[in-house]
Amino acid sequence: MKNLKMIFAIFLGVLLIFGWVSYAMSTSKDLISYRENIKNAEEYTESGLYYRAIDCYADAIKIRPSEKNWELLIGVCELNLVEYPDFLDDYIDYLEDAVAQYPKNSAFIICLANAYYTDESYTSAYRTVKKAVDNGVEDEEVITLERKLKYVYRLKGSVFSEFYSPIDKEYSVHGSSGWGTMETEGRASNTWDNRYYGPIGEDGEKIVTKENLGTRLYDKDDKVLAIFKDDVLSAGRFSEGYIAIEFAEGQYEYYDEFGEKVFGPYEMAGTFNDGLAAVKQNGKWGIINDKGEFKVNPEFDEIVLDNYGYFNKQKIVIACKNGKYGFYDETLKSKNDFTADKMDIPTKDGIIAFCQNSKWGYVDEDGKVIIEPTYEDALSFSNGLAAICQNGKWGFIDKDNNIVIECDFAGADYFTKEGSCCVRLIAPENENNPAEWQVLVLELGL
């Protein structure tokens, strides 16, 4: 029995020794292979044989998957990508593996996001940096890249010279051949051969002047509601049974849904909401009801209309009296002590652009300054973004005052909830050379 135990012990000892010898030999073999791959990779990189170098680094990583080796592999991949753009998919695969193993390596994250961007995989690019930031990566370049990718955009559709803001996914636009409509995604939604196409109302009504048909008021199904004998110069939005139309320059009159004049004229006229509209008469602004009676006498220098013609659609009213703009309620009573030299339109965002001493900043509805006046010009926030002007060019900021779309445009408008905005490509040199506008569409929406 003792002999049997001794034999078993000797057998185990031999197995253990054999195992250690095998492990040592294997480790030594792996080390030799690793060093050979690294040496070959360096030589291939020096010779410009990047594909061979990539394979060698990849084999070396299988043996020693260190962060340093991944950096070397990614570096050669970038050299190879310059010469062979079709290598992009493989480059992305390597980067995905690198980021998976080292999720806080800022260089890997930035490279992967930029590679996705080059591949036009914008959602993947944004998710890469967003995940890194959410996981605690505090690198400033990663944070800046996240903002850039969140608001990556394309310019879509044909250019146009005039437009009306959309209430529901359609701009009225004036192109080279006439007026028509364009979807907020940048697609033309009908032919642009009308002599005029007014802003579309909340229920789809619009004033349109067609060749050989004259001017008509149409409903959302293009059924004729009213016919007018004269061509219009411009029109407001049909709302609550009324629409303001300019037939003679500087003379706006309100008409009902049958095309009958109900009251006017006014020098300017807004859209009705809750039975009220702002109008300008004899150089001053006031408020009328749906009978044409003044509820607030025309004693204001301006009552600011939003981009749909409403003065009272939001919680506050912006008006100017005695040369100073401020916040008012619907009855035109002052709401707080804030005043400014100039103010932009009220919006749902409630953060309004204002001008003080020739510089523009932002204020909330309570009169609290959110962004100090520093810009040459500015528009109020709409759907989380605001257009600002620096050095004569327009771009966009977020509510933290970060520039998220660079100042590359000659002009800008307000963002829609779908994530589109009209931007001016070329400023007009004179009235015979109209401005060129195009629809900017955010790839990831808002």
Side-chain angles (χ1 to χ4, degrees):
M1 190 67 175
K2 288 182 178 180
N3 290 337
L4 185 59
K5 288 182 177 180
M6 185 176 294
I7 292 170
F8 185 69
I10 292 170
F11 177 72
L12 288 178
V14 171
L15 283 179
L16 184 60
I17 292 169
F18 180 77
W20 277 107
V21 170
S22 297
Y23 173 77
M25 291 178 63
S26 174
T27 302
S28 178
K29 184 178 179 181
D30 286 346
L31 181 59
I32 292 170
S33 177
Y34 170 77
R35 288 174 176 171
E36 184 177 348
N37 277 310
I38 293 294
K39 178 175 178 294
N40 289 338
E42 291 172 348
E43 292 176 353
Y44 287 142
T45 302
E46 186 70 24
S47 301
L49 300 173
Y50 302 130
Y51 271 111
R52 291 182 179 273
I54 289 166
D55 289 339
C56 288
Y57 277 128
D59 288 340
I61 285 172
K62 291 176 184 177
I63 301 169
R64 290 190 178 179
S66 69
E67 193 168 5
K68 175 64 175 177
N69 286 336
W70 274 109
E71 290 172 354
L72 292 169
L73 172 59
I74 298 305
V76 179
C77 286
E78 290 173 350
L79 293 173
N80 194 55
L81 188 64
V82 173
E83 192 169 346
Y84 301 101
D86 291 343
F87 181 69
L88 181 60
D89 287 344
D90 292 328
Y91 177 51
I92 289 174
D93 289 340
Y94 283 123
L95 283 167
E96 287 174 341
D97 289 342
V99 170
Q101 293 190 44
Y102 300 98
K104 292 195 174 183
N105 185 305
S106 299
F108 294 164
I109 293 163
I110 292 167
C111 286
L112 178 57
N114 285 330
Y116 280 138
Y117 181 88
T118 302
D119 196 43
E120 298 185 355
S121 302
Y122 302 120
T123 300
S124 296
Y126 175 66
R127 285 176 178 171
T128 296
V129 290
K130 180 68 165 60
K131 182 178 179 180
V133 172
D134 290 344
N135 287 340
V137 175
E138 297 180 351
D139 184 272
E140 187 60 35
E141 191 173 352
V142 172
I143 294 170
T144 300
L145 186 57
E146 180 199 9
R147 288 197 293 263
K148 172 187 173 184
L149 292 171
K150 184 177 182 179
Y151 298 106
V152 65
Y153 65 86
R154 290 180 189 267
L155 297 177
K156 295 186 176 182
S158 302
V159 298
F160 44 89
S161 58
E162 297 178 73
F163 66 94
Y164 292 109
S165 297
I167 280 182
D168 186 22
K169 296 186 177 181
E170 270 194 325
Y171 294 96
S172 299
V173 299
H174 184 214
S176 58
S177 58
W179 281 87
T181 60
M182 174 177 284
E183 294 178 3
T184 51
E185 292 85 359
R187 294 187 296 269
S189 46
N190 66 25
T191 55
W192 294 5
D193 57 0
N194 303 288
R195 292 211 304 271
Y196 181 74
Y197 203 108
I200 302 170
E202 290 188 357
D203 294 322
E205 301 92 347
K206 59 272 182 182
I207 286 283
V208 182
T209 303
K210 297 175 182 266
E211 198 70 42
N212 302 322
L213 287 178
T215 298
R216 301 183 176 195
L217 174 64
Y218 294 88
D219 69 8
K220 64 179 181 179
D221 298 316
D222 289 333
K223 294 178 181 177
V224 178
L225 300 177
I227 298 175
F228 300 90
K229 62 181 180 179
D230 298 316
D231 285 1
V232 303
L233 297 179
S234 67
R237 296 178 195 271
F238 186 86
S239 178
E240 300 184 355
Y242 300 108
I243 184 170
I245 301 176
E246 181 188 21
F247 285 110
E249 187 171 353
Q251 296 290 303
Y252 286 85
E253 299 169 324
Y254 284 97
Y255 291 79
D256 64 18
E257 62 182 311
F258 298 100
E260 298 293 327
K261 177 185 172 182
V262 287
F263 32 82
Y266 305 101
E267 293 158 33
M268 294 291 292
T271 305
F272 268 92
N273 181 61
D274 292 337
L276 300 172
V279 297
K280 183 180 181 182
Q281 191 174 71
N282 299 321
K284 292 291 184 179
W285 286 78
I287 305 297
I288 60 170
N289 63 17
D290 56 7
K291 296 180 176 59
E293 302 167 337
F294 274 100
K295 300 297 290 184
V296 175
N297 289 326
E299 56 187 26
F300 287 83
D301 302 333
E302 183 182 4
I303 297 174
V304 178
L305 308 181
D306 68 14
N307 50 337
Y308 306 114
Y310 301 111
F311 82 96
N312 61 343
K313 196 72 168 178
Q314 311 310 325
K315 291 182 290 185
I316 46 89
V317 175
I318 298 172
C320 178
K321 193 170 186 179
N322 300 322
K324 284 293 183 180
Y325 286 76
F327 292 113
Y328 295 81
D329 65 15
E330 194 173 78
T331 65
L332 273 293
K333 292 180 180 178
S334 180
K335 291 194 70 172
N336 52 54
D337 294 332
F338 178 83
T339 62
D341 298 336
K342 182 70 177 174
M343 294 179 71
D344 193 40
I345 68 171
T347 63
K348 287 182 179 180
D349 289 42
I351 303 178
I352 312 303
F354 75 96
C355 180
Q356 208 76 280
N357 300 319
S358 301
K359 292 293 183 181
W360 286 80
Y362 289 89
V363 62
D364 68 15
E365 297 170 353
D366 296 323
K368 178 184 176 183
V369 174
I370 304 300
I371 299 173
E372 292 292 338
T374 55
Y375 296 109
E376 295 170 11
D377 206 344
L379 301 182
S380 298
F381 273 88
S382 57
N383 294 292
L385 298 176
I388 51 90
C389 182
Q390 285 185 324
N391 301 318
K393 291 289 186 178
W394 287 81
F396 294 87
I397 59 172
D398 63 15
K399 290 182 179 180
D400 293 322
N401 201 22
N402 299 306
I403 293 180
V404 294
I405 297 177
E406 294 297 327
C407 297
D408 294 329
F409 304 103
D413 195 51
Y414 306 92
F415 261 96
T416 68
K417 62 184 179 181
E418 290 80 26
S420 68
C421 177
C422 290
V423 291
R424 181 183 287 171
L425 309 179
I426 302 172
E429 296 178 2
N430 53 63
E431 61 183 17
N432 297 318
N433 179 25
E436 287 191 357
W437 293 80
Q438 200 168 8
V439 176
L440 179 155
V441 180
L442 295 178
E443 289 288 337
L444 304 184
L446 278 170

